[in-house]
Amino acid sequence: FVNVFTFSLTFFAVIIAFATMKSMGEAGEGHLKERHHVVGLALLLLVTVQTANGFLRPPREYVNEDDDTNTEMADSVVGGRKSATPRNIWYLCHSLNGLVLFCLGTWQVMSGLNIFSLRFATANWSSVYFGYILWVVVVFVGVKFWLKYKERQVKLQAWRHGGVHDPENDMAPVQYE
């Protein structure tokens, strides 16, 4: 519940900021005139949608035992592709919104660093920030591929030894060489 409290506190702080923004800043500056400001507002709205969407996650759906599927989840791969269950549709929307939020957030910070360096005549650190984000993405993708590789090894090992890999049990034995 810490993330819900933090989000709520931030959301209310932004509402207060919008309510008081006419009384702050220089008279000629204006608000929501730069792309940075508009993207910031869009980010706030998308984070609100993302949080609400997280609370609206549909439950997992199970197939009846009569269907030769041995009670596997309905949102598993069927016929080589994922079935269009409400949970899969939710997952796709939630994932795409998260990716859009990550990309817009990265652009927003870089834009803010550019604006800051122009207004205060300081060094522009946006390229360093972009390099850091690129490094984080490469590490994340690398770890994801490594985990998929290890998962595939466990399934292959279970198949070779006549064992059955239970997809509902993520506690499969993993042996590292």
Side-chain angles (χ1 to χ4, degrees), residues 42-101:
L43 276 168
L44 175 70
L45 296 175
L46 285 174
V47 165
T48 304
V49 168
Q50 184 77 339
T51 304
N53 194 12
F55 286 118
L56 298 175
R57 176 178 62 189
R60 289 185 173 190
E61 300 167 354
Y62 291 92
V63 176
N64 293 334
E65 290 186 27
D66 301 334
D67 289 344
D68 290 332
T69 57
N70 297 327
T71 67
E72 289 193 21
M73 292 179 292
D75 58 357
S76 63
V77 177
V78 176
R81 62 187 180 128
K82 282 197 166 215
S83 58
T85 64
R87 187 169 174 107
N88 282 341
I89 294 168
W90 169 87
Y91 181 78
L92 178 66
C93 293
H94 195 66
S95 298
L96 288 176
N97 192 27
L99 183 62
V100 167
L101 279 169

